[in-house]
Amino acid sequence: MAAQVNDGTDREASAPPVIVLVETQMGENIGAAARAMANFGLKDLRLVKPRDGWPNDKARAAASRGDAIIDEVRLFDTLEAAIADLELVYATTARPHDIAKEVESPAVAAVEMAAAARAGARTGVVFGREKWGLTSDEVGLCDRICTVPVDPAFASLNVGQAVILVAYEWRRLVLGDAAWTPFVEKERSPQASKGDVFAFFAHLESALDKVEFFRPAHKRDHMIRNLRQIFQKARLSEQEVRTLRGMVAALEGRPTRLDLARFQEMRDAAERERGVRNRDEE
Amino acid sequence: MAAQVNDGTDREASAPPVIVLVETQMGENIGAAARAMANFGLKDLRLVKPRDGWPNDKARAAASRGDAIIDEVRLFDTLEAAIADLELVYATTARPHDIAKEVESPAVAAVEMAAAARAGARTGVVFGREKWGLTSDEVGLCDRICTVPVDPAFASLNVGQAVILVAYEWRRLVLGDAAWTPFVEKERSPQASKGDVFAFFAHLESALDKVEFFRPAHKRDHMIRNLRQIFQKARLSEQEVRTLRGMVAALEGRPTRLDLARFQEMRDAAERERGVRNRDEE
């Protein structure tokens, strides 16, 4: 068989893992899992014998905007049946089982599931009961073990918390950029260029020279470096540089842009007024 | 001031961020936050005017093994007071606020907080109310915005889910190894060397040659490559190689190790028996 060429175009299309919850006791946890899945792009939720039956109002309430996932939940009598159509399946466990299987973090599992999905495989992650997790027989049905890198002294995540971390790692991987955010800084004017910032420094320093701020004289260079550092750290926008220059002009007693604009407005108003009066007099 | 030298020895000692929950309505969410913190090495939980007062039984119940964090919770009347002793503070928001602040993912915030902590700064992350988050004034008190990389179409995490992701990214960074797991494969015998595996192949293939498995002859090489691939993929342990060789020997009708061990046992038992009889006869 020839190896297939991967040109990277299928990256976004990789099918996300199926989430399988075995004998979950609390509907709230099923809902929390659905909510986590919806936020991170997972879709297929399967339940093996949920304690309180199905449908479950508490699950729907806790799912929040994940109700599309709740609508499509599939029920199974056994874990075998729930994962029969998958090719690579992870059992999540918080403690070692007496079974020789590779143990992987959610980050590594996400990488492997994405690679498998890109090659056409369907993947899944299985989560056990709130009180005691998965049986060794259930773990034995899976290919590998996935476990969250908790502090061993406190290992105690609930099933909703474990699902969100697995789903989050999937999305982190699919995004391919740990710095990605769903929105960016609001209405920020463009970053000021270094030239704009240097012109502001010249303005500020000349204003401060006039009021003999830099004393004693031999400390002038040092003081200027410290002042400049304050504004460099702020990574000013163009608008912020204009604001600061207006502020310095105001403190200097020079007319500000606002003063000039108001003056212009007053003059315009006066001229209009004069125009109106002239028309009245005609 | 001379720049400080960082020799890497303080890595583990970096103080984790403080978690601040503002006017949280449900005790369960405070408890879930404490539970998440305990699992990922965070310790300092502060509450600004929790709706149902403090202490709160539901918070303690939901904290599970995070009760040490619940015991040390500090209460504040205002966000200003809660973060007054910190130097770098992130506001978590799910939507843009009308405010020009850098927006960062939990992964980037964790990197920055660790860098700040290494330089001696105390850091914190602030989480808002379940229904409507933080006010713009509250966001304004913080240095930067942190937001989780959710699917924008479904952005809807609860406060407990947001806390666990921030705490998880902190631990992921402190561990410095995305593949770290709190336990490893259980009682696995050492990985078999390639030599062990090749010896097993030779054994298997000679047994299959004897029963004329490789037919037609011109497909022999291809069939052998496929068979070998099955066992290479399994990444066999030494014990697994022994098990497979015993299995092949049994199928061949050769005496297995177990047969030999049983034979030895039977012979030993017979000899003991004879010895006892000899003594009886003396």
Side-chain angles (χ1 to χ4, degrees), chain B residues 33-106:
Chain B
R35 185 174 189 169
M37 291 171 65
N39 275 282
F40 296 125
L42 280 62
K43 294 173 180 8
D44 190 344
L45 177 59
R46 304 178 182 185
L47 306 178
V48 178
K49 291 195 284 191
R51 185 191 65 185
D52 296 339
W54 195 258
N56 180 316
D57 289 343
K58 285 183 179 168
R60 184 169 290 276
S64 186
R65 295 171 66 189
D67 42 10
I69 288 169
I70 295 289
D71 289 339
E72 299 291 325
V73 155
R74 277 186 279 171
L75 276 183
F76 294 88
D77 283 334
T78 63
L79 178 57
E80 286 93 325
I83 62 176
D85 62 330
L86 307 181
E87 281 102 4
L88 175 62
V89 180
Y90 291 77
T92 55
T93 80
R95 269 159 287 277
H97 280 248
D98 188 16
I99 191 163
K101 272 188 203 298
E102 286 174 56
V103 177
E104 289 166 5
S105 68

Side-chain angles (χ1 to χ4, degrees), chain A residues 35 39 64-65 94 97-98 100-101 105 147 149 151 153-156 168-169 171-172 178 181 185-187, chain B residues 35 39 64-65 94 97-98 100-101 105 149 151 153-156 164 168-169 171-172 178 181 183 185-187:
Chain A
R35 185 174 190 170
N39 276 282
S64 186
R65 296 171 68 190
H97 281 248
D98 188 16
K101 274 189 202 296
S105 69
T147 196
D151 180 345
F154 284 97
S156 160
Y168 171 76
E169 280 288 2
R171 182 156 174 84
R172 202 177 189 282
T181 54
E185 201 164 344
K186 175 94 178 200
E187 288 169 10
Chain B
R35 185 174 189 169
N39 275 282
S64 186
R65 295 171 66 189
H97 280 248
D98 188 16
K101 272 188 203 298
S105 68
D151 179 347
F154 285 97
S156 160
I164 197 174
Y168 171 74
E169 280 289 1
R171 182 155 173 86
R172 201 177 189 284
T181 54
F183 58 89
E185 202 164 343
K186 175 92 179 202
E187 288 171 8

Side-chain angles (χ1 to χ4, degrees), chain B:
Chain B
M1 255 185 300
Q4 296 194 355
V5 175
N6 180 358
D7 61 4
T9 53
D10 59 350
R11 174 167 208 147
E12 286 297 324
S14 294
V18 169
I19 298 295
V20 184
L21 306 182
V22 178
E23 293 188 11
T24 308
Q25 294 156 279
M26 298 178 65
E28 290 87 339
N29 286 334
I30 299 171
R35 185 174 189 169
M37 291 171 65
N39 275 282
F40 296 125
L42 280 62
K43 294 173 180 8
D44 190 344
L45 177 59
R46 304 178 182 185
L47 306 178
V48 178
K49 291 195 284 191
R51 185 191 65 185
D52 296 339
W54 195 258
N56 180 316
D57 289 343
K58 285 183 179 168
R60 184 169 290 276
S64 186
R65 295 171 66 189
D67 42 10
I69 288 169
I70 295 289
D71 289 339
E72 299 291 325
V73 155
R74 277 186 279 171
L75 276 183
F76 294 88
D77 283 334
T78 63
L79 178 57
E80 286 93 325
I83 62 176
D85 62 330
L86 307 181
E87 281 102 4
L88 175 62
V89 180
Y90 291 77
T92 55
T93 80
R95 269 159 287 277
H97 280 248
D98 188 16
I99 191 163
K101 272 188 203 298
E102 286 174 56
V103 177
E104 289 166 5
S105 68
V108 171
V111 171
E112 293 178 344
M113 290 191 292
R118 219 166 288 134
R122 287 157 299 181
T123 65
V125 188
V126 180
F127 298 81
R129 301 148 190 89
E130 285 91 337
K131 295 232 186 282
W132 47 276
L134 295 168
T135 66
S136 289
D137 280 348
E138 288 162 345
V139 174
L141 296 173
C142 302
D143 298 293
R144 298 174 192 164
I145 286 171
C146 178
T147 195
V148 174
V150 294
D151 179 347
F154 285 97
S156 160
L157 286 177
N158 84 13
V159 61
Q161 292 176 315
V163 171
I164 197 174
L165 293 174
V166 166
Y168 171 74
E169 280 289 1
W170 173 262
R171 182 155 173 86
R172 201 177 189 284
L173 184 94
V174 168
L175 289 170
D177 173 8
W180 188 89
T181 54
F183 58 89
V184 293
E185 202 164 343
K186 175 92 179 202
E187 288 171 8
R188 181 168 182 149
S189 89
Q191 197 76 21
S193 68
K194 300 303 280 182
D196 289 343
V197 175
F198 296 158
F200 162 63
F201 288 165
H203 178 185
L204 175 66
E205 290 153 21
S206 93
L208 292 171
D209 270 331
K210 280 183 213 150
V211 295
E212 291 175 37
F213 175 76
F214 298 115
R215 284 184 301 190
H218 72 271
K219 288 206 170 162
R220 185 175 186 277
D221 286 355
H222 182 71
M223 291 169 80
I224 281 179
R225 266 201 305 278
N226 287 349
L227 259 184
R228 288 182 177 187
Q229 177 59 2
I230 292 170
F231 295 105
Q232 304 254 43
K233 283 193 297 188
R235 299 187 61 246
L236 300 169
S237 69
E238 289 177 358
Q239 178 54 53
E240 288 164 343
V241 168
R242 283 193 294 270
T243 299
L244 287 172
R245 294 195 67 163
M247 185 188 83
V248 174
L251 290 171
E252 280 186 299
R254 281 211 261 167
T256 63
R257 277 165 193 270
L258 193 61
D259 289 336
L260 293 174
R262 276 194 193 131
F263 177 72
Q264 183 70 39
E265 235 169 57
M266 284 163 62
R267 201 172 55 182
D268 291 352
E271 272 174 15
R272 276 198 304 276
E273 182 72 4
R274 200 173 322 127
V276 169
R277 241 180 302 164
N278 289 349
R279 265 204 307 282
D280 288 350
E281 288 165 7
E282 273 168 10

Side-chain angles (χ1 to χ4, degrees), chain A residues 191-198 236 238 241:
Chain A
Q191 197 75 22
S193 68
K194 300 302 282 182
D196 290 344
V197 176
F198 297 158
L236 300 168
E238 289 177 358
V241 167

Side-chain angles (χ1 to χ4, degrees), chain A residues 127-258:
Chain A
F127 297 81
R129 301 148 190 89
E130 285 90 337
K131 294 231 187 284
W132 47 276
L134 295 167
T135 66
S136 289
D137 280 348
E138 287 163 346
V139 174
L141 296 172
C142 302
D143 298 294
R144 297 172 193 166
I145 286 170
C146 178
T147 196
V148 174
V150 294
D151 180 345
F154 284 97
S156 160
L157 287 175
N158 84 13
V159 61
Q161 292 176 315
V163 171
I164 198 173
L165 293 173
V166 166
Y168 171 76
E169 280 288 2
W170 173 262
R171 182 156 174 84
R172 202 177 189 282
L173 184 95
V174 168
L175 290 170
D177 174 7
W180 188 89
T181 54
F183 58 90
V184 293
E185 201 164 344
K186 175 94 178 200
E187 288 169 10
R188 180 168 183 148
S189 90
Q191 197 75 22
S193 68
K194 300 302 282 182
D196 290 344
V197 176
F198 297 158
F200 161 64
F201 288 166
H203 179 182
L204 175 66
E205 290 154 20
S206 93
L208 292 172
D209 271 330
K210 280 183 213 150
V211 295
E212 293 175 33
F213 173 77
F214 298 115
R215 285 185 302 192
H218 72 272
K219 288 206 173 162
R220 185 174 187 277
D221 287 355
H222 182 71
M223 292 170 82
I224 283 180
R225 265 200 306 278
N226 287 349
L227 259 185
R228 289 182 176 187
Q229 176 60 2
I230 292 170
F231 295 104
Q232 303 253 44
K233 282 193 297 187
R235 298 187 61 247
L236 300 168
S237 69
E238 289 177 358
Q239 179 54 53
E240 288 165 342
V241 167
R242 284 193 293 271
T243 300
L244 287 172
R245 294 195 67 163
M247 185 189 83
V248 173
L251 290 170
E252 281 186 300
R254 281 209 262 167
T256 63
R257 277 164 191 270
L258 193 63

